[in-house]
Amino acid sequence: MITDNVLVAFSGGSYSRVVLQFVHEWQVKVLKNYEASRDRSLPVFGVGVAFVDESTALSTKTSDAVALIQSTVLSLSPPAKDLHVVPIESVFGSDSLEERDRLVKLLDSVSDETGKEDLLLHLKMLSLQKIVSENGYNRLVLGTCTSRLASHVLTATVKVCCLLCPH
């Protein structure tokens, strides 16, 4: 009886690796408890893994990263995890060439690096939300370090101050 489907956002970095390992070990423990229970009424959850490929936006190749991520996910003990690898431009539709052109045009319209970084983060979250909604997940787990969280808080504070106190 699966009660939840959890999607783990996975970049291949150390924080997302820790989160994936933690969620996997938690799932294994819950599954063992379910199988050990007499009435099999304990909740069990499914896990999927998502990698948002930003290579078009960053003008890089990610084939090695994708292979490493596939290897990492496949190396986990059962139960198996569904792996979703989606290009960031897929938020625009299904025609890959048109999507790429649209993403490049959008990024080119943003003049400053901070704005581009914010836009990419927003598009990445939209990509993850799209995976969640299209694949029946009802939870999304991100691996974020405290430095990144502090950076978000400071950035948001500065943006609000700039809006409230015009130069």
Side-chain angles (χ1 to χ4, degrees), residues 149-165:
L149 289 173
S151 173
H152 285 301
V153 169
L154 288 172
T155 302
T157 304
V158 169
K159 288 176 185 176
V160 168
C161 287
C162 288
L163 289 173
L164 296 176
C165 305

Side-chain angles (χ1 to χ4, degrees), residues 4 12 21 34 40 48 59 81 103 134 146 155 159 167:
D4 282 322
Q21 190 63 39
Y34 170 78
R40 306 230 179 210
S59 301
K81 316 286 183 271
L103 176 65
E134 290 177 352
T146 55
T155 302
K159 288 176 185 176
H167 302 354

